[in-house]
Amino acid sequence: MAILLGVVCLYSLSFNLVTYKVEKDAKEFAKGDIVKEKAYLDSMATVPVYPGLGFTYQQVKAKEINLGLDLKGGMNVTMEISLAELTKSLAGNTTDANFNQALQNAQKQMNAGGKDFIALFVSEYEKLVPGGKLADFFSTQDNAQQLKANATNDEVKSFLTKEGNSAIDRSFTILRSRIDGFGVVSPNMQKQEGSNRIFIEMPGIQDKERIRKLLQGSAELQFWKVYQNDEVVGILENVNKTLALTVKADTVAPTAAADTSKKDGKLAGLTNKPNEKDTAALRAEQLKNNPLFSVLNIPTYQAENGQQALRPGPVVGWVLQKDTAKVNAYLSKTEIKPLIPGTLKFMWGLKPMPGTKVFELYAIKVSSLDGRPDLGGDAVSNAMQGYGEKNDPQVTMYMTADGASKWKKITAEASADPQNKKAIAIVLDNTVYSAPTVQNEIPNGISSISGSFTIEDTKDLANILKAGKLPAPAKIVSDFVVGPSLGKEAIQSGLSSFVIAFVVILIFMALYYNKAGWVANLALLINVFFIMGVLAAFGAVLTLPGIAGIVLTIGLSVDANILIFERVREELAHGKSTAVSIKEGFKHAMSSIIDSNVTIFILGVILFTFGTGPVQGFATTLCVGIATSLFAAVLISRLIFEGMLERKSKISFDNSVTRNAFRNLSFNFVGHRKLYYSLSSIIIILGIVFYVKNGGLNLGIDFKGGRTYIVHFDKNMNTEEVKSKLETVFGTDEETQVVTAGAANELKITTTYHIFDQSDNADKVVEETLNKGLSSMGVAYTNEGGAKVTPIVASDIVYGAYGAILFSCIVMFIYILVRFRKWQYGLGAVIALFHDVLLVLSAYTILDGVLPFSLEIGQDFIAAILTVMGYTMTETVVVFDRIREKLGESGKADVYGEERNTLINFALNSTLSRTILTSLTVFFVLLVIFIFGGDSIRGFIFALLIGRIIGTYSSLCISTPIVIDLSKKETKTA
């Protein structure tokens, strides 16, 4: 297993090495010229670069570990699909007062944190019109197949829910195609389950306004007739000749052509010989004499007589992706436009041809005087993915009554000539998604579209066909932009914290456990290799919280080794041999290791389920790290020890300084439990006092909504002075916060100015007002990035946070109840969890304004709280496990009274070495990340630091001693 996992990890990580080499060659070739560097990489897209396996650069690039938004810079966006407008459209835009009032009421409840818009709408309508039938609005001729006129309101609700989900799926497909067309490298898109929102991450993107227009623009589905290849080739030849007389030859890199003439003979254009060698001189000559045909190849095939013939069909050109912009520029030149008839316009296909970076150019026929398509998307009533007679994937499209009539006429014309059947282009956002050839006239409005489709292709096409059916506007409700310099700082600080924390752990283990510590270190190195390999195999996107998760996992991974080593030391103290002690140590530690790792893994799953974006990145690496850590600590370490024993090597688990550490401890944790209860109560009461004094918690933008900006100044700034200046432009009624973001010349500015303004230019107004205030200070500055979260999103995050904490408590209680068969243990652990949350919140309210950085509570803080709960639970489970083990040795099911007090004190003291060592190890790691990890995660790590201290205190002084008070009424007879 270890060897197999190692091979898989090595294979997965090798793609990063190959990509690095190709991109290094590109930089050396370009010598700082970004255009030449991009041209080189484009030319390598379809060239095999992986030795032996033959993967192309494009394929290798897709398999490497990608850097996330925070490490690379870019933009993320949350889109919300307007179900209110969709519902109104499905009802034919009715003017009924009660109907529209129900929509408004439902939207208000959604803004206040409601979840299901459709359910809210139906409920509100039934309140306004008791006994009213919603089917009267929605059972139209177009919806007759799905909804009957006598349908109940529950059936209407099911219909609307289905249509709403379908609209979100269609929007997802449309947005994805737009982003793909924009050229984003490794975009991350997620439908937020249970909501009408879509989350989009776009690393490397900085053009905020262009992206907003791209994503919020209305999509228009169209059906067009097309010209055939042989009808257009003459026009393209005239264009080429005219360009040859007017355009100077460009200087092109020798590698830019990338053997485009070798794609199965398909790209051998009229002016290219199939086997012509592409030298720089020939290329330059070709550019001079044939500007258009040097980048555009006319589709041909080899006829039966062996000669090249024009390929029939609507595709009139094959062009490399890097040359599409050049072709567009050629065709839009003033001297070229008169050569192109007004009835002809060119459009590109959606995707490159399989296995290439070659796009198809289509010739669209404009039949109407107003330039409108032959048929619009409103003609489609439904479309479904299915299978044909030969079990091949296809799409069935249903037209409306009016659309069916027009479709009959169009298809009759396209299939009139049996020897030359024409195609119909299906177009969305001026991009051809498909151009199927019409075989016969379609009289009933039901059409089957088939071709060389995959199942995914037909699903996408079905969504595209339905996209034009009804409007479901998409609005940006949250966006975040991070500049490239900020991304560079983030990756440098993240890597620094990773390396330093790793070294701290290695030194600590080697110093404390001597030779055995080096075994643990070797297992740790292997574990890190496994973590990175598994993340690469999963195609994970590495973010800064993800790196924090890896570093944290390094700290947690030594916990298993510490558990084993401490048990081995106990066995050695009893006079057993090294071999027997190692065997017994692994055996007795196994139960605690399994329980503690399963517990923290459950917390990771909850984090992943309830979290979004950075929290999910943290949870992913945490879960992967726990799995690999368990494998490395239990198996790898054991294999190394077995090998050392076979070679009769001396194995030491301590040194002269650490040999007697934590020996013969007898703290009376149980006896002093009321003192600990009092101490915790005082801190919580102080927290409440400061909560009232400060007017509540310092909620971040995630929880209350607002806009925040990172601004870099040319000199150190006084935060109060900046705040005063901004209040003059934002107004004193708006909340404005100014805090340092790392350095004194880097400020984080948060404002609620215009937060309830949902207009398209609201962001622009706020930024202009911000710039007005900052400019008045007379100091040069750069706005490096910003974020916006509406109150709608904020309320969702709040409820999600509550759900995460409550759900985790329930899961933990059930797990402990099952494992230890006593409800007192489960309830004691859950009380300790709430105790930890209250203490961390109290610490935040007490220390806010005292420390030199902001203690803001956002969704990262929720991740920290849940992780702290995991720590407490892990340590508590280890103590409970020792109690269970001791009871098993005595042959008793349970003990009572003073005997129970003695047993619990024994369990706490006997595991104290493990508790302290693990806590110190994790604390060291967190301290390193806090110091070197950068401002973007400093608040998050501070919560973990406080939580680490509180968690250790809680596991020793609260969670286990409280079992005594919960079991007071138990007696032996019970």
Side-chain angles (χ1 to χ4, degrees), residues 244-319:
L245 298 173
T246 58
V247 178
K248 293 182 180 180
D250 296 327
T251 302
V252 178
T255 57
D259 75 353
T260 56
S261 63
K262 297 180 182 178
K263 302 289 184 299
D264 302 326
K266 293 180 180 178
L267 300 183
L270 294 180
T271 59
N272 290 349
K273 297 177 182 179
N275 297 319
E276 182 178 29
K277 188 175 181 181
D278 187 17
T279 64
L282 286 173
R283 182 73 168 156
E285 185 67 21
Q286 189 181 43
L287 277 167
K288 181 180 178 182
N289 298 328
N290 299 287
L292 179 63
F293 290 150
S294 67
V295 291
L296 181 146
N297 291 276
I298 303 295
T300 62
Y301 73 104
Q302 192 169 12
E304 293 181 1
N305 60 8
Q307 299 297 312
Q308 291 289 312
L310 289 174
R311 183 179 292 274
V315 179
V316 300
W318 282 320
V319 181

Side-chain angles (χ1 to χ4, degrees), residues 700-727:
I701 187 174
D702 292 336
F703 287 104
K704 64 185 177 186
R707 291 179 177 84
T708 187
Y709 302 92
I710 302 294
V711 181
H712 178 84
F713 292 87
D714 280 359
K715 69 173 189 177
N716 293 347
M717 303 297 291
N718 182 292
T719 55
E720 290 301 319
E721 184 182 343
V722 174
K723 181 179 178 180
S724 176
K725 286 285 186 183
L726 291 177
E727 283 179 342

Side-chain angles (χ1 to χ4, degrees), residues 17 211 241 250 287 856 881 911 925 929 938:
L17 298 175
I211 283 291
K241 290 176 183 176
D250 296 327
L287 277 167
E856 192 177 79
D881 192 79
T911 57
V925 171
I929 304 173
R938 187 158 286 141

Side-chain angles (χ1 to χ4, degrees), residues 534-555:
V534 171
L535 289 175
F538 284 167
V541 177
L542 194 61
T543 62
L544 193 58
I547 291 178
I550 293 173
V551 178
L552 203 54
T553 302
I554 291 172

Side-chain angles (χ1 to χ4, degrees), residues 639-890:
L639 287 173
I640 296 172
F641 281 129
E642 294 290 347
M644 294 173 71
L645 289 171
E646 285 182 11
R647 293 193 303 272
K648 295 184 172 22
S649 300
K650 184 179 178 181
I651 306 174
S652 52
F653 288 84
D654 53 30
N655 54 48
S656 58
V657 177
T658 63
R659 186 159 298 135
N660 296 312
F662 301 104
R663 286 278 179 87
N664 303 317
L665 297 175
S666 58
F667 292 108
N668 188 6
F669 291 103
V670 173
H672 295 105
R673 65 186 184 280
K674 291 183 180 179
L675 174 63
Y676 307 138
Y677 298 164
S678 301
L679 178 62
S680 295
S681 299
I682 290 170
I683 295 174
I684 292 170
I685 291 170
L686 275 174
I688 294 171
V689 171
F690 276 88
Y691 176 88
V692 175
K693 176 179 174 291
N694 297 337
L697 295 169
N698 181 10
L699 296 178
I701 187 174
D702 292 336
F703 287 104
K704 64 185 177 186
R707 291 179 177 84
T708 187
Y709 302 92
I710 302 294
V711 181
H712 178 84
F713 292 87
D714 280 359
K715 69 173 189 177
N716 293 347
M717 303 297 291
N718 182 292
T719 55
E720 290 301 319
E721 184 182 343
V722 174
K723 181 179 178 180
S724 176
K725 286 285 186 183
L726 291 177
E727 283 179 342
T728 61
V729 291
F730 285 140
T732 54
D733 292 337
E734 302 294 340
E735 185 176 352
T736 303
Q737 293 180 355
V738 181
V739 296
T740 56
N745 66 332
E746 199 96 17
L747 300 184
K748 181 180 180 182
I749 300 170
T750 304
T751 178
T752 57
Y753 182 67
H754 274 231
I755 188 57
F756 293 103
D757 185 354
Q758 299 299 312
S759 62
D760 291 337
N761 67 336
D763 289 341
K764 188 176 180 181
V765 170
V766 176
E767 286 194 32
E768 287 176 350
T769 308
L770 173 69
N771 289 331
K772 181 180 177 182
L774 295 177
S775 299
S776 67
M777 304 194 69
V779 180
Y781 67 91
T782 306
N783 189 342
E784 299 203 3
K788 169 195 163 190
V789 179
T790 67
I792 304 172
V793 175
S795 64
D796 283 357
I797 293 173
V798 171
Y799 287 117
Y802 291 157
I805 292 173
L806 291 174
F807 183 64
S808 63
C809 288
I810 293 169
V811 171
M812 293 305 148
F813 176 79
I814 294 171
Y815 180 77
I816 291 178
L817 181 64
V818 171
R819 285 293 285 146
F820 298 97
R821 303 182 185 279
K822 279 186 72 68
W823 66 267
Q824 289 91 344
Y825 287 175
L827 185 57
V830 169
I831 290 173
L833 295 183
F834 278 108
H835 163 269
D836 292 356
V837 172
L838 290 174
L839 281 190
V840 173
L841 286 172
S842 297
Y844 258 58
T845 57
I846 294 168
L847 297 174
D848 188 28
V850 177
L851 298 175
F853 51 88
S854 174
L855 294 181
E856 192 177 79
I857 295 178
Q859 61 175 325
D860 282 357
F861 176 80
I862 299 302
I865 287 288
L866 288 171
T867 308
V868 168
M869 292 164 66
Y871 289 152
T872 302
M873 189 60 67
T874 300
E875 295 180 354
T876 302
V877 164
V878 170
V879 177
F880 287 171
D881 192 79
R882 183 57 70 96
I883 294 172
R884 181 176 58 185
E885 179 187 330
K886 196 66 177 176
L887 286 171
E889 290 176 1
S890 65

Side-chain angles (χ1 to χ4, degrees), residues 70 535 541-553 556 600 603-605 607-608 611-626 859-860 862-868 871 926 929 937 940-941 944:
D70 47 6
L535 289 175
V541 177
L542 194 61
T543 62
L544 193 58
I547 291 178
I550 293 173
V551 178
L552 203 54
T553 302
L556 291 171
I600 198 77
L603 262 294
V605 171
L607 279 174
F608 186 85
T612 58
V615 177
Q616 282 191 332
F618 176 81
T620 300
T621 54
L622 187 63
C623 289
V624 170
I626 288 167
Q859 61 175 325
D860 282 357
I862 299 302
I865 287 288
L866 288 171
T867 308
V868 168
Y871 289 152
L926 292 173
I929 304 173
I937 58 172
F940 173 53
I941 298 302
L944 290 179

Side-chain angles (χ1 to χ4, degrees), residues 353-404:
M353 297 165 66
T356 73
K357 274 205 169 185
V358 177
F359 278 75
E360 296 171 315
L361 183 66
Y362 291 84
I364 302 299
K365 182 182 289 187
V366 183
S367 305
S368 61
L369 294 176
D370 60 0
R372 297 292 299 162
D374 297 282
L375 201 61
D378 56 352
V380 180
S381 66
N382 199 12
M384 293 186 294
Q385 177 266 337
Y387 298 90
E389 295 178 358
K390 298 180 180 178
N391 205 34
D392 53 321
Q394 68 175 28
V395 174
T396 303
M397 179 175 66
Y398 300 89
M399 295 286 190
T400 63
D402 184 52

